[in-house]
Amino acid sequence: MSETGNPASGLIGPNAILQVLPVIERFGGPERCSGMLARAGLRHIPHGDRMIPETDAARLHRQLRREEPDMAPALSHEAGIGTANYILRHRIPRPAQWLLRALPPAPAARLLSRAIAQHAWTFVGSGRLVVADAWSFEIEANPLIAGETSDACLCHWHAGVFARLYQVLVAQGTSCTETCCGAQHPGNRCRFELRRVRL
């Protein structure tokens, strides 16, 4: 088990906002998207070339859950998929992707989980990523749900990121479920379980 993160930064990757916006726009239109940004207190859209305050991303995710409680899980998951697709296009070198796809799922999962851990600061901000094993992750003090309480799990964006990366690089039928959320039990970790569905 290993832990990674950047507790002092308070910054997170811009895709925590940039991949959410087109999903909201497709769902509710441009006016709804701009209105939700304004109600979240966000005046500017990130340029995408630098890290952003995690509190900005958290406000947008919270506003989406507040305004669309029924649709937020699916919309956040779709934004997570978009984030993973961005990572696949721009952040993971092609030779590394070819290698992972050529390996059997077990060693591919081990290598991918290590790579995710090395870059955890981009999507956990001041939180801490715990790699329990190659098929499960935990986020301690997840900044995207800071201060929230909920009976249900809230971290569908993270689940979408993990699921898509594993589907493309490890095993096509992989799913990711958040089995426990820090919003359900403040102080607890958000836990994500990946499962390979044999096609």
Side-chain angles (χ1 to χ4, degrees), residues 5-14 16 50-57 120-127 143-144:
N6 191 5
S9 74
L11 300 175
I12 199 167
R50 62 180 65 91
M51 302 286 281
I52 62 172
E54 62 186 27
T55 51
D56 288 355
W121 51 275
T122 64
F123 61 90
V124 301
S126 62
L144 294 187

Side-chain angles (χ1 to χ4, degrees), residues 114-152:
R114 289 176 197 157
I116 288 172
Q118 289 171 354
H119 297 89
W121 51 275
T122 64
F123 61 90
V124 301
S126 62
R128 288 167 294 283
L129 180 76
V130 179
V131 181
D133 58 55
W135 297 90
S136 57
F137 299 96
E138 296 175 353
I139 300 176
E140 185 177 357
N142 186 347
L144 294 187
I145 59 164
E148 294 194 62
T149 57
S150 172
D151 292 334

Side-chain angles (χ1 to χ4, degrees), residues 42-190:
L42 301 175
R43 296 183 179 181
H44 306 289
I45 297 173
H47 294 295
D49 58 352
R50 62 180 65 91
M51 302 286 281
I52 62 172
E54 62 186 27
T55 51
D56 288 355
R59 289 203 305 274
L60 181 61
H61 284 251
R62 186 180 305 117
Q63 193 67 32
L64 174 60
R65 290 191 287 267
R66 184 177 297 153
E67 294 191 25
E68 293 294 339
D70 294 331
M71 289 298 299
L75 297 176
S76 297
H77 191 270
E78 184 180 343
I81 292 171
T83 300
N85 286 337
Y86 177 90
I87 292 168
L88 290 164
R89 286 193 304 269
H90 301 288
R91 294 290 180 259
I92 302 178
R94 292 293 178 189
Q97 294 191 37
W98 294 333
L99 171 63
L100 288 168
R101 290 189 184 115
L103 290 171
R110 287 194 295 272
L111 287 175
L112 181 57
S113 66
R114 289 176 197 157
I116 288 172
Q118 289 171 354
H119 297 89
W121 51 275
T122 64
F123 61 90
V124 301
S126 62
R128 288 167 294 283
L129 180 76
V130 179
V131 181
D133 58 55
W135 297 90
S136 57
F137 299 96
E138 296 175 353
I139 300 176
E140 185 177 357
N142 186 347
L144 294 187
I145 59 164
E148 294 194 62
T149 57
S150 172
D151 292 334
C153 292
L154 298 180
C155 306
H156 305 284
W157 180 74
H158 282 104
V161 174
F162 293 141
R164 180 62 176 162
L165 290 175
Y166 270 67
Q167 286 164 5
V168 173
L169 299 175
V170 176
Q172 189 175 8
T174 302
S175 65
C176 182
T177 303
E178 186 183 16
T179 58
C180 179
C181 184
Q184 293 173 307
H185 308 284
N188 283 11
R189 294 171 174 172
C190 303

